[in-house]
């Protein structure tokens, strides 16, 4: 009985042994350093720069100012941001609508076939996205392959304007991002317990009802991930707008790019980047609050 | 060959090493580079420019290892003012004599005495080009591009300077004007034209060829002119709308290989190099015609444009942009491009 | 027996080359609790899935209330299923899960509310309406699954090992609950399990399936006490099986010879036995008796190998001459025998069940179907 | 049932059309690598001269080499750092750990250009010279989250007691890492590495911000050619890359097929027990 | 008792605020088969993981052979574990799995070969060396896991519900095999299960744990027949528990009063009982008797509610006046009683086990430790 009257040992006794902690630390070190040096530090610097002043010929003067942010309030830039969001929104919507049935198909077939399909999906991008994108110019222009075929078939008299408009942008964007969007949707469809579909049918729901009430809600993590994976790069990917869109309207990606090249106005470019980052963070924040998991983004 | 300096005597000192050359596609032929590497026993790294501003920005940050830089005249002043360039070593550039005096006499805007720069080829022009077969109206000025009949038929360059300079010139101002009022007028003109514009971009040839557009305000039509004989009759420039400029070789002040850099520049002025360039890319030669006539296709000089381009050059005010102008134009440009 | 609500006639099922259900014939009566019992992979789930419509029979017909349903979609059948892993919709709370079947049918809101309440009460889950199903324990999930299925008032409820994932205590408790629920609702239950004790406790009738074939359909007691095949004898409860040959028939009794000695058995008068017939004799551990001296008519003996005290009984292991192990269960907590002691084995005649060898065709299911519906279709 | 067949048929047709959409530009790319026109928008005639030119084009191959070199280095760095990170941070729940793991996701959830700008600035400010090392760092930063996520998901799916079993049997942590953990998460590492390699091959924005004088990658080259139209020579190179990739896939499938046939045969051997 | 090989002294374990193991004291003897038995979540696995080194006790000491091991890494301990889900290395075949422990220790190849063979023989898996572990059945996997653990010749083998994932038949078979193996190897087994039947069958001693506390450590028989607490009585086997109060003590006997009538019990002479003490009486279903006429000293009666035939026994459910349900198991297959019939309940005195209320402190574990090692530290 004497023993049990002894005070319990201090609570601070480690849960893990020292060696285990050492091993963990060693494993963590590279990524920690990497994240600190090449992610956190650059973003801090970016934020810092956004408060500096542009000097002559594109140099930077280290006098703090809020002018860069005031400049962003100019309705011109609000328009640019809005325009970018609209294009990204369209692309994302269509990508999801087109990608979901494909993801469903890949999930349905045998695992061998599905990995083959995934590879085939990624393969064109493997080559060089830009070269393949350029092929769209050949395909879509007024005397391009599609118009020629349609006119030869007498389906058209006048060539259709397929290139240098939002249609072409969206087609190009879908081409670039659909493969990435399909992957997370595919994996969430695959994870879906087929028993649930059967349960729903068993309870009297037809295929459409089952899809709306069970399949879709349960695969929504994959859909959300696909949305993020399409929407975000869309905003910054200025090559497609340049190449296929005719560049008649400025996108935020181009705008930022211009600040660092043609305009040589880094602080303003930094401020734009910060604003863009904040907008995206808000979206991602909402995504995680809705129960999204950033891990789904890796597919 | 007919190059003045023999590689043996000039190159002995600079055997080995690397030369970083920043240039535009079409300003030096691949073969020439290979020949130079072989003759001088050096490595030449060719990097292609996307935008001169980017280079300027990088160099201003002190973050560049370029030796030879291919600059367009518009930025010459900025480079010179920022002391980014080293004076050329004319002792090394013995092929200087091969250059057509027309191009040397005028000098470059911001470096009129050609202390730092030498024109690479003959002049380039930005201007309105018409596809005679498809263009619905007569065009003889920049303002005509705003004609409603041209809706969705105009291709335009996306280079800010060319846009505003073209508009300024059309309004009767200096294309290099820094006057805010004048620039605002130019903006108003551009805004009128914009609804007609199908696409802004770099490469316009294809869209004129494919019938995507019937008119282009562009800087690369010269290539199209010389590329294919069939195009000579099909396309036409509107002389009133042209802006002229040149590309210049310069040597970076920070270069540790200045001697080799000058030797490289010199090498490109050999008749052999010039012929290779013309055969590969076409364009207006900077060298005296008699030195190269034999090396190129029989009909090369039959192109009527060739003479016209050369003749036009002395009357043109070369483009040159200042920092202030860039800033103003940039805001205007963003405004122009943001609306639907 | 009342009229059949489900009848399965000549049903065959093949997956590719894999013959999973073999010429199955079975009538399920209205309101009965029928259990499909058999080892893993014998085709129980497949049978159930054919009734619910998730699989098509390769040949044969399935009828519910005399209506051929094998061409109907699952969602058009008056049959509901309780899935082994519950298959609750994780994106809905308890209420929504249970209401699902009614919502799909566009039942008015007020009625849904009423019936969900009733169903939840039935499974004793009142007050859990708003709970997320992911936050419930196994037993609770099970009950939600049941509520969700019975709310549709199906004619037949199919349950595929509904208690498989629960632990022993909870399982016992749910067995009783389920049985009560079935009585209260009066719905026909078709219940799948591979746990023979569960089957014995709950069922009105048990259909023992082996490799896609019905071996016997009968009441639990009948199956336990009068297994028709060696497989059934072995699968239902522990048993000692002795391969033997009939040496002599004397009226209802016979002398049999095994490799380890002779014994007496009583014969089923309904079946014909002849001298030299090969038979198996099954004696349950609790019916195997022993004595320290030889018993009249029996000459099987062995030595005590092990004795284990398990809760309320003592398990004895006896090794015979040829190495066969015989198990004996004793319920009297008397003192243990010595390990190594020689004992003579015998049994009271009614408990030695004689099974004819080569008696494995499911004659029983044929008999069962004979009284079934007359209008069999092509 | 009939309805089901029709729906399945429609589904198949749709997928077929989608793949047509994906391969049409590839077909065009291949076709136009045989185009005589340099501007390469309008078909002018068949030629194989671009392939001949490509063979002798040391510059283009040099660029290609640089691109592959960067991609390989990126893949190695991203795989090592990401894998170690995923293992190290598997169980950590602290605030700091959260900061690090969350910031690892930044590059995915932020437009590339923002990261490019930020990295460009930090290199400039710190005096770290631009060039291949900087590009590799930039590309690695972009690819890191993909490796991290795929490896992490393998780790999460891995039975934790397997590692414990190894420790229990007397293996220390390093031994366990190499003999148990890494073989288990290998598929994750491989798919992460694959992702990193392909992302890096096609990376333009970050690369062009971080490139120095002597460094050009294939995407940069392609983009700079936009002014005059992408030359058929580039198409030829892309076609070669594409063909090689297809060959890899075919070989992979063949090897895999042989393996399954073997496995099936092995299974047909008489079963023991 | 022989000398303890594992001793657990004053061990506490908290996960955050969750007090999972409470002041645990336990000695495990060399060569014994000790089972930790308790409901899900009571801390069995946690206890085992502290012995194997995967968790650190929050306070207290654990010794193996008088050596404090709680500061050793898991891989430095002479203790091996058989994990519930086997935890076989999926990237290795059977041979490599089993050889793992020896390879780690750099044992010469020839010896490894020898010992792997021996270990596989021990678990009857000769000839399976090259098989991938993913291609094995549950029972086979289980045996590989055991072979892998015993090849290291540990002093103590820890087994965490090793048979939990197996089906009933296989489980019974493996129970016997495991027990034999333990006897053959002479290794100390610490066995975790929540299945009381398994514990009763296999163990030398059982430690019944409830909510992190040891309720009783004893031989299976003692635990079954003389549970020290209500929890133990209830958890081990089915039982009928009656809350009562002592009305009168007569020597070794007492008259108790329950809400439904009086009864007689015999008292444990080692414990003191007084009139008015609150007690619980536990009577196993197989010991509960009934009679159609009242029995001397007993006045508890109830009506027959249900009777189920389960294999070898008949389960009767009797409802008392206050609604309590009493279960009776009858092994004689005599005819059933009528449902609704009134019966008088009684028991033979030795089978009515009296448990003092408020007797839940684990005095027993203290008693157990008293004879333990003398050199406890600071
Ligand atoms: N979709 C399928 N395709 C091919 N074979 C199948 C399929 N479903 C089941 N089988 C096979 O049919 C046989 C019977 O399976 P079934 O699921 O009906 O068995 P079960 O009796 O329910 O077993 P358990 O008790 O393990 O659930 C098994 O051999 C199984 O491998
Ligand atoms: N790593 C942990 N962190 C926090 N709580 C834990 C952890 N591991 C176990 N617990 C909690 O400790 C208690 C005891 O868990 P333990 O696994 O020891 O139970 P158990 O007796 O083995 O149960 P079971 O029979 O279900 O395996 C449970 O309440 C559990 O939730
Ligand atoms: Mg099943
Ligand atoms: Mg446990």
């Amino acid at each position: 009985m004497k023993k049990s009257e002894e005070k319990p040992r201090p609570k601070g006794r480690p849960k893990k042994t020292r060696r285990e902690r050492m091993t963990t630390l060693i494993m963590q070190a590279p990524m920690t350093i990497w994240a600190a040096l090449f992610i956190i530090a650059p973003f801090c610097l970016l934020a810092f720069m956004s408060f500096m002043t542009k000097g002559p010929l594109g140099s930077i003067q280290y006098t703090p100012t809020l002018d860069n942010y005031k400049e962003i309030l100019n309705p011109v830039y609000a328009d640019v941001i809005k325009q970018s969001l609209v294009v990204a929104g369209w692309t994302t919507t269509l990508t999801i609508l087109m990608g979901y049935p494909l993801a469903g198909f890949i999930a349905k077939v045998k695992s061998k076939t599905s990995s083959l399909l995934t590879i085939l999906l990624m393969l064109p991008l493997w080559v060089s996205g830009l070269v393949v994108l350029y092929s769209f110019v050949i395909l879509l222009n007024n005397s391009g392959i599609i118009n020629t075929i349609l006119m030869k078939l007498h389906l058209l008299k006048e060539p259709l304007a397929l290139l240098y408009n939002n249609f072409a942008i969206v087609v190009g964007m879908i081409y670039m991002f659909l493969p990435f969007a399909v992957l997370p949707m595919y994996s969430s469809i695959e994870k879906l317990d087929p028993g649930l579909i059967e349960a729903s049918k068993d309870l009297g729901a037809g295929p459409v009802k089952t899809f709306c009430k069970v399949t879709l809600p349960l695969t929504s993590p994959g859909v959300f991930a696909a949305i993020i994976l399409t929407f975000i790069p869309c905003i910054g990917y200025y090559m497609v707008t340049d190449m296929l869109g005719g560049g008649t309207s400025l996108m935020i990606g181009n705008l930022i790019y211009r600040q660092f090249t043609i305009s040589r106005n880094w602080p303003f470019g930094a401020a734009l980047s910060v604003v863009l980052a904040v907008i995206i963070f808000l979206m991602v924040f909402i995504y995680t609050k809705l129960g999204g998991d950033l891990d789904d983004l890796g597919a | 060959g007919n190059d003045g300096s023999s590689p043996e005597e000039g190159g002995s000192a600079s055997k080995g090493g690397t030369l970083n050359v920043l240039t535009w596609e079409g300003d030096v032929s691949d073969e020439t580079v290979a020949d130079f590497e072989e003759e001088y026993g050096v490595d030449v790294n060719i990097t292609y420019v996307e935008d001169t501003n980017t280079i300027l920005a990088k160099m201003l940050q002190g973050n560049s290892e370029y030796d030879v830089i291919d600059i367009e005249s518009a930025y010459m002043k900025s480079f010179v003012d920022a002391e980014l360039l080293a004076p050329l070593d004319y002792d090394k550039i013995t092929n200087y004599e091969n250059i057509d005096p027309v191009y040397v006499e005028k000098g470059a805007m911001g470096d009129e005495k050609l202390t730092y720069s030498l024109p690479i080829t003959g002049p380039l022009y930005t201007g309105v080009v018409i596809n005679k077969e498809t263009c619905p109206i007569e065009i003889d000025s920049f303002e005509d591009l705003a004609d409603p009949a041209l809706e969705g038929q105009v291709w335009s360059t996306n280079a800010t300077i060319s846009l505003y300079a073209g508009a300024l010139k059309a309004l009767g101002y200096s294309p290099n004007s820094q006057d805010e009022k004048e620039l605002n007028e130019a903006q108003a003109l551009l805004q009128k034209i914009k609804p007609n514009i199908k696409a802004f971009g770099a490469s316009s040839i294809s869209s004129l060829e494919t019938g995507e557009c019937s008119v282009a305000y562009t800087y690369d039509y010269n290539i199209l002119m010389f590329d294919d004989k069939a195009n000579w009759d099909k396309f036409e420039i509107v002389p009133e709308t042209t802006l002229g400029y040149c590309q210049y070789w310069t040597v970076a002040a920070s270069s540790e290989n200045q001697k080799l850099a000058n030797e490289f520049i010199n090498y490109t002025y050999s008749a052999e190099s010039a012929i290779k360039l013309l055969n590969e890319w076409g364009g207006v030669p900077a060298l005296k015609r008699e030195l190269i006539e034999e090396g190129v296709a029989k009909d090369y000089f039959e192109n009527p444009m060739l003479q016209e381009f050369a003749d036009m050059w002395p009357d043109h005010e070369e483009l040159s942009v200042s920092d202030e102008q860039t800033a103003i134009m940039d805001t205007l440009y963003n405004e122009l491009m943001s609306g639907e | 027996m009342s009229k059949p609500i489900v009848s399965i006639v000549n049903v065959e099922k093949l997956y590719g080359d894999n013959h999973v259900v073999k010429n199955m014939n079975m009538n399920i009566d209205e309101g009965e609790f029928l259990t499909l019992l058999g080892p893993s992979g014998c085709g129980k789930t497949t049978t159930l899935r054919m009734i619910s419509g998730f699989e098509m029979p390769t040949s044969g017909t399935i009828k519910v209330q005399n209506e051929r349903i094998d061409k109907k979609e699952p969602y058009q059948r008056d049959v509901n299923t309780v899935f082994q892993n519950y298959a609750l919709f994780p994106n809905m709370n308890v209420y929504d899960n249970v209401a699902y079947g009614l919502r799909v049918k566009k039942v008015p809101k007020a009625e849904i509310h009423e019936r969900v309440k009733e169903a939840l009460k039935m499974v004793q889950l009142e007050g859990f309406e708003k709970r997320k199903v992911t936050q419930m324990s196994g037993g609770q999930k099970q009950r939600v699954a049941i509520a969700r299925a019975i709310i549709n008032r199906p004619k037949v409820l199919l349950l595929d090992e509904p208690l498989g994932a629960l632990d022993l205590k909870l399982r016992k408790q749910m067995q009783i609950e389920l049985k009560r629920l079935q009585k209260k609702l009066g719905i026909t239950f078709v219940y799948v399990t591979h746990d023979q004790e569960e089957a014995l406790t709950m069922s009105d009738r048990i259909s023992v399936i082996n490799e896609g074939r019905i071996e016997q359909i009968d009441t639990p007691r009948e199956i336990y006490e009068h297994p028709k095949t060696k497989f059934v004898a072995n699968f239902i409860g522990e048993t000692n099986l002795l391969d033997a040959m009939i040496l002599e028939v004397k009226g209802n009794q016979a002398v049999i010879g095994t490799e380890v000695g002779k014994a007496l058995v009583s014969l089923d008068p309904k079946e014909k036995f002849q001298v030299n017939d090969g038979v198996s004799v099954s004696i349950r551990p609790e019916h195997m008796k022993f004595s320290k001296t030889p018993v009249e008519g029996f000459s099987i003996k062995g030595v005590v190998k092990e004795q284990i005290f398990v809760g309320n009984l003592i398990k004895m292991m006896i090794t015979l001459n040829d190495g066969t192990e015989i198990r004996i269960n004793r319920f009297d907590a008397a003192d243990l025998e010595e390990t190594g002691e020689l004992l003579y084995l015998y049994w009271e005649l009614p408990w030695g069940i004689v099974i004819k060898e080569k008696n494995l065709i499911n004659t029983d299911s044929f008999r069962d179907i004979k009284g079934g519906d007359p209008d069999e279709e092509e | 049932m009939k309805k089901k067949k029709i729906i399945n048929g429609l589904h198949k047709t749709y997928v077929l059309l989608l793949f047509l959409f994906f391969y049409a530009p590839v077909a065009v790319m291949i076709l136009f690598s045989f185009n005589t026109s340099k501007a390469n928008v309008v078909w002018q005639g068949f030629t194989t001269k671009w392939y001949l030119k490509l063979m002798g084009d040391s510059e283009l191959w040099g660029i290609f080499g640089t691109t592959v070199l960067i991609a390989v280095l990126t893949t190695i760095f991203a795989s090592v750092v990401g894998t170690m990170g995923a293992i190290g941070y598997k169980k950590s729940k602290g605030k700091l750990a959260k900061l690090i793991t969350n910031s690892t996701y930044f590059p995915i959830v932020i437009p590339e250009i923002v990261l490019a700008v930020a990295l460009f600035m930090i290199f400039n400010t710190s005096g770290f010279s631009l060039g291949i090392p900087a590009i590799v760092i930039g590309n690695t930063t972009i690819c890191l989250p993909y490796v991290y996520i795929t490896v992490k998901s393998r780790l999460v799916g891995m039975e934790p007691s397997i590692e414990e079993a190894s420790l229990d049997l007397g293996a220390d942590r390093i031994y366990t890492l190499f003999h148990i953990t890494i073989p288990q998460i290998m598929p994750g590492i491989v798919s992460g590495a694959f992702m990193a390699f392909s992302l890096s091959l096609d990376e333009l924005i970050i690369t062009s911000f971080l490139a120095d004088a002597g460094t050009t990658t294939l995407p940069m080259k392609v983009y700079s050619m936009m002014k005059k139209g992408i030359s058929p020579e580039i198409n030829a190179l892309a076609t070669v890359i594409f063909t090689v990739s297809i060959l890899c896939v075919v070989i992979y499938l063949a090897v895999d097929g042989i393996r399954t046939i073997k496995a099936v045969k092995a299974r047909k051997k008489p079963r023991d027990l």
Side-chain angles (χ1 to χ4, degrees), chain D residues 59-77:
Chain D
E59 186 216 334
L60 201 51
W61 286 114
I63 290 175
F64 181 63
T66 310
T67 314
V68 172
L69 174 72
I70 289 172
V72 167
L73 288 176
T74 297
T75 308
I76 293 171
F77 276 106

Side-chain angles (χ1 to χ4, degrees), chain B residues 176-282:
Chain B
N176 296 327
S177 167
Q178 296 180 25
D179 187 315
E180 222 166 308
K181 202 186 108 259
E182 291 172 11
L183 277 164
N184 277 332
E185 274 180 59
Q187 174 83 343
L189 174 57
L190 288 173
Q191 238 140 14
K192 267 204 293 184
I193 294 171
K194 196 187 168 213
N196 283 349
I197 295 176
K198 172 122 188 176
F200 290 93
S203 171
S204 67
I205 326 157
S206 51
S207 64
L208 283 181
E209 266 184 308
T210 59
E212 203 76 38
C213 296
S214 57
V215 186
Y217 180 56
T218 178
Y219 51 75
D220 64 2
Y221 64 89
N222 37 51
I223 300 153
L224 134 109
M225 293 294 149
F226 304 114
D227 197 31
D228 186 350
K229 206 172 170 185
N231 289 338
W232 292 354
D233 299 326
K234 204 166 156 194
F235 300 109
E236 192 177 82
I237 41 163
V238 182
E240 293 81 358
T241 61
T242 52
L243 303 167
Y245 61 99
C246 272
Q247 294 289 145
Y248 294 90
W249 286 132
T250 62
V251 174
S254 60
S255 166
E256 285 160 11
N257 270 330
Q258 300 209 355
K259 184 162 167 254
L260 191 60
N262 280 296
E263 278 162 352
F264 176 80
I265 291 172
N266 183 48
Y267 197 79
T268 64
Y269 289 121
S270 74
E272 258 170 65
S273 303
I275 289 165
K276 279 173 185 154
L277 182 62
L278 289 188
N279 284 332
E280 194 174 336
W281 292 100

Side-chain angles (χ1 to χ4, degrees), chain A residues 75-98:
Chain A
V76 170
Y77 300 110
D79 261 11
V80 171
I81 292 174
K82 201 186 88 200
Q83 174 76 13
S84 310
L85 296 183
V86 167
V87 168
W90 270 109
T91 307
T92 308
T93 313
L94 289 173
T95 303
I96 301 298
L97 288 181
M98 289 170 67

Side-chain angles (χ1 to χ4, degrees), chain B residues 20-22 24-27 30 37 45-50 54 57-58 61-66 202-206 209-210 219-220 223 227-228 247 280-281, chain D residues 37-39 41-42 44 53 57-59 63 120 123-124 127-130 204 207-216 220-221 223-229 233:
Chain B
N20 290 321
V21 178
L22 181 75
W24 292 85
E25 286 250 302
D27 281 354
D30 296 346
E37 281 180 324
N45 271 329
I46 299 282
T47 308
Y48 292 107
V49 192
E50 284 166 44
T54 319
K58 272 191 188 178
Q61 293 302 320
N63 211 326
S64 122
E65 291 130 30
Y66 302 116
S203 171
S204 67
I205 326 157
S206 51
E209 266 184 308
T210 59
Y219 51 75
D220 64 2
I223 300 153
D227 197 31
D228 186 350
Q247 294 289 145
E280 194 174 336
W281 292 100
Chain D
S37 157
K38 189 160 187 172
V41 170
V42 180
Q44 286 191 342
K53 181 150 190 251
D57 193 337
S58 58
E59 186 216 334
I63 290 175
F120 177 54
F123 286 137
N124 258 319
F128 190 99
S129 62
L130 298 178
L204 170 62
T207 311
S208 56
F209 266 90
L210 301 182
D212 70 340
T215 316
T216 309
M220 282 169 75
K221 167 87 178 168
Y223 196 61
S224 74
M225 285 178 113
M226 298 284 294
K227 181 176 161 193
K228 287 160 189 163
E233 195 187 345

Side-chain angles (χ1 to χ4, degrees), chain B residues 44-82:
Chain B
V44 177
N45 271 329
I46 299 282
T47 308
Y48 292 107
V49 192
E50 284 166 44
D51 188 280
T52 313
N53 269 302
T54 319
I55 311 308
L56 182 53
K58 272 191 188 178
M59 290 187 66
L60 283 167
Q61 293 302 320
N63 211 326
S64 122
E65 291 130 30
Y66 302 116
D67 299 306
V68 177
I69 312 173
D70 172 356
I71 300 179
E72 53 189 296
S73 55
Y75 298 96
M76 188 63 73
K77 196 168 175 345
S78 299
F79 274 85
V80 171
D81 289 353

Side-chain angles (χ1 to χ4, degrees), chain D residues 166-181:
Chain D
S166 168
L167 293 175
D168 185 71
L169 292 168
D172 60 22
R173 295 204 158 73
I174 300 300
Y175 192 96
T176 303
L177 179 70
F178 282 102
H179 289 81
I180 303 298
T181 314

Side-chain angles (χ1 to χ4, degrees), chain C residues 54-264:
Chain C
F54 294 115
E55 299 288 349
M56 287 286 137
T58 310
S59 71
T61 33
I62 296 175
K63 295 183 188 180
V64 171
Q65 288 196 314
N66 277 338
E67 232 188 314
R68 274 188 64 161
I69 57 162
D70 47 349
K71 296 228 160 122
K72 276 193 181 171
E73 291 285 330
Y75 49 89
Q76 296 161 334
R77 301 187 179 198
D78 258 356
V79 166
N80 282 120
T81 308
V82 176
F83 294 84
Q84 168 162 13
N85 50 1
Y86 322 127
L88 298 180
F89 305 125
N91 54 328
M92 305 178 190
N93 63 20
V94 171
Y95 185 95
D96 295 336
N97 260 284
V98 176
Y100 190 87
L102 300 181
R103 291 220 174 111
V104 163
K105 290 194 193 106
K106 302 236 160 66
V107 172
K109 270 214 170 142
E111 191 188 336
I112 291 184
H113 193 73
E114 208 57 30
R115 281 170 67 180
V116 170
K117 263 200 145 165
E118 188 192 313
L120 285 178
K121 200 173 159 195
M122 200 86 83
V123 297
Q124 297 168 24
L125 278 181
E126 300 111 313
F128 280 81
E129 286 84 356
K130 294 272 157 281
R131 187 77 75 91
K132 291 205 109 186
V133 291
T134 43
Q135 291 166 0
M136 302 190 92
S137 76
Q140 290 171 334
K141 281 186 191 161
Q142 189 52 65
R143 287 185 221 171
V144 177
I146 292 166
R148 188 178 66 173
I150 60 175
I151 203 169
N152 288 315
R153 296 177 187 152
K155 289 172 187 143
V156 180
L157 189 65
L158 310 176
L159 303 100
D160 191 357
E161 308 204 23
L163 308 181
L166 305 185
D167 75 24
L168 210 74
K169 276 255 132 124
L170 192 55
R171 196 164 167 159
K172 293 245 153 109
Q173 188 188 326
M174 286 298 296
Q175 283 173 7
I176 295 168
E177 263 183 47
L178 264 180
K179 180 72 192 171
R180 279 191 192 149
L181 194 69
Q182 190 252 346
K183 276 189 186 157
K184 197 149 76 186
L185 294 170
I187 296 178
T188 308
F189 272 36
V190 182
Y191 191 95
V192 161
T193 183
H194 59 243
D195 178 346
Q196 38 102 356
E197 197 185 325
E198 194 165 292
L200 291 170
T201 315
M202 304 172 79
S203 327
D204 294 328
R205 284 197 304 156
I206 298 174
S207 163
V208 183
I209 302 177
N210 183 29
E211 296 188 349
R213 230 180 261 289
I214 297 181
E215 298 257 336
Q216 186 170 359
I217 306 189
D218 249 323
T219 62
R221 190 155 191 173
E222 199 57 27
I223 287 211
Y224 189 81
E225 292 182 355
H226 301 291
K228 290 269 160 55
T229 69
K230 223 166 140 180
F231 175 83
V232 175
N234 215 351
F235 192 75
I236 309 288
E238 269 183 300
T239 199
N240 298 294
L241 273 174
L242 295 170
D243 289 331
M245 184 184 274
I246 295 186
L247 299 181
E248 204 184 329
V249 181
K250 313 181 200 166
N252 266 356
Q253 288 194 358
V255 178
I256 55 163
T258 70
E259 284 197 28
V260 287
K262 292 184 186 176
L264 285 179

